[in-house]
């Protein structure tokens, strides 16, 4: 019987020598060196990308959008260039202004409807401004006479420049309902 036990031992020793050595798998919570370095590298890459995005956003903040608008002050020409009792539309598209000359002087009307901001058209045959969006109507002075517009058109500051030309300043607006049309600058008295 001792021989049988020795043979079994020899047999198991021979099998153990031939079988490959098993590699122990990491247990839960254990991290291999390769896994640790991969995770660390990924974290640094995310941090670098976030930092680059922050620097890019900060650089964009330092250079804001520039708004190119037409100048808010402009010279409209000499008073003799405008016909009496007429609405001049030369500055409607470029500056958003109608020049109106009466016998006693000038005023500059805004081309923005006071209802929703559309641009009315001057109808010379009817002697009124008519808004194509919702039908608001304004007489030559800018007073609203029809449609949903809640108030008259605004006037811009108008004066004579040193060289004798008419100077319009769109930075200063005058509203009729506030009694501002009677203030200096809302009307330019002029007789030829």
């Amino acid at each position: 019987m001792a021989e049988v036990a020795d043979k079994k031992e020899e047999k198991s020793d021979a099998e153990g020598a031939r079988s490959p050595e098993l590699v122990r798998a990491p247990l839960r919570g254990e991290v291999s060196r390769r896994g640790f370095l991969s995770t660390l590298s990924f974290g640094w890459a995310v941090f670098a990308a976030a930092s680059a995005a922050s620097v890019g956003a900060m650089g964009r903040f330092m250079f804001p959008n520039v708004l190119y608008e037409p100048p808010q002050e402009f010279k409209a020409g000499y008073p003799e260039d405008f016909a009496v009792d007429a609405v001049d539309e030369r500055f409607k598209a470029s500056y958003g202004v109608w020049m109106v000359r009466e016998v006693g002087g000038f005023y500059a009307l805004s081309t923005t409807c006071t209802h929703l901001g559309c641009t009315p058209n001057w109808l010379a045959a009817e002697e009124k401004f008519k808004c194509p969006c919702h039908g608001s109507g304004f007489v030559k002075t800018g007073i609203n006479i029809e449609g949903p517009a809640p108030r008259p058109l605004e006037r811009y500051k108008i004066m004579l420049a040193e060289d004798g030309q008419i100077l319009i300043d769109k930075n200063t607006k005058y509203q009729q309902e506030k009694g501002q049309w009677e203030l200096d600058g809302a009307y330019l008295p002029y007789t030829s």
Side-chain angles (χ1 to χ4, degrees):
M1 230 192 288
E3 286 179 22
V4 175
D6 287 338
K7 283 184 184 180
K8 283 184 181 179
E9 250 178 61
E10 286 176 19
K11 195 175 185 181
S12 63
D13 286 341
E15 285 177 8
R18 282 188 246 152
S19 66
E21 192 172 313
L22 297 175
V23 177
R24 186 176 65 87
L27 298 175
R28 178 185 263 187
E30 287 187 27
V31 178
S32 68
R33 179 177 299 187
R34 177 177 289 171
F36 173 75
L37 292 176
S38 296
T39 304
L40 185 66
S41 299
F42 178 74
W44 275 107
V46 169
F47 175 74
S51 297
S54 297
V55 168
M58 210 163 38
R60 178 72 180 101
F61 176 75
M62 300 305 268
F63 301 99
N65 290 338
V66 177
L67 188 60
Y68 295 102
E69 292 181 347
Q72 297 299 307
E73 280 188 13
F74 66 96
K75 291 184 179 179
Y78 293 98
E80 298 80 26
D81 297 342
F82 298 93
V84 179
D85 285 331
V87 174
D88 194 305
E89 296 189 78
R90 281 184 275 181
F91 308 106
K92 177 182 173 182
S94 56
Y95 295 105
V97 174
W98 284 302
M99 290 290 299
V100 182
R101 181 172 183 185
E102 296 178 330
V103 176
F106 292 89
Y107 52 91
L109 286 175
S110 169
T111 60
T112 304
C113 180
T114 55
H115 178 230
L116 291 178
C118 297
T119 302
N121 297 312
W122 169 246
L123 305 176
E126 298 178 32
E127 289 279 316
K128 69 179 181 179
F129 299 101
K130 187 74 172 172
C131 184
C133 297
H134 299 100
S136 295
F138 306 88
V139 293
K140 190 188 294 188
T141 58
I143 303 290
N144 52 325
I145 55 168
E146 60 189 14
R151 57 191 179 86
L153 296 173
E154 295 177 345
R155 288 186 181 181
Y156 294 122
K157 185 174 185 176
I158 185 168
M159 59 193 146
L160 277 178
E162 292 178 7
D163 61 356
Q165 292 190 52
I166 297 174
L167 180 67
I168 298 175
D169 181 7
K170 290 178 59 178
N171 294 315
T172 307
K173 295 180 181 181
Y174 298 98
Q175 296 179 353
Q176 188 268 342
E177 66 274 12
K178 294 182 178 179
Q180 296 174 339
W181 281 9
E182 308 304 320
L183 299 176
D184 288 339
Y187 188 82
L188 175 65
Y190 184 83
T191 53
S192 52

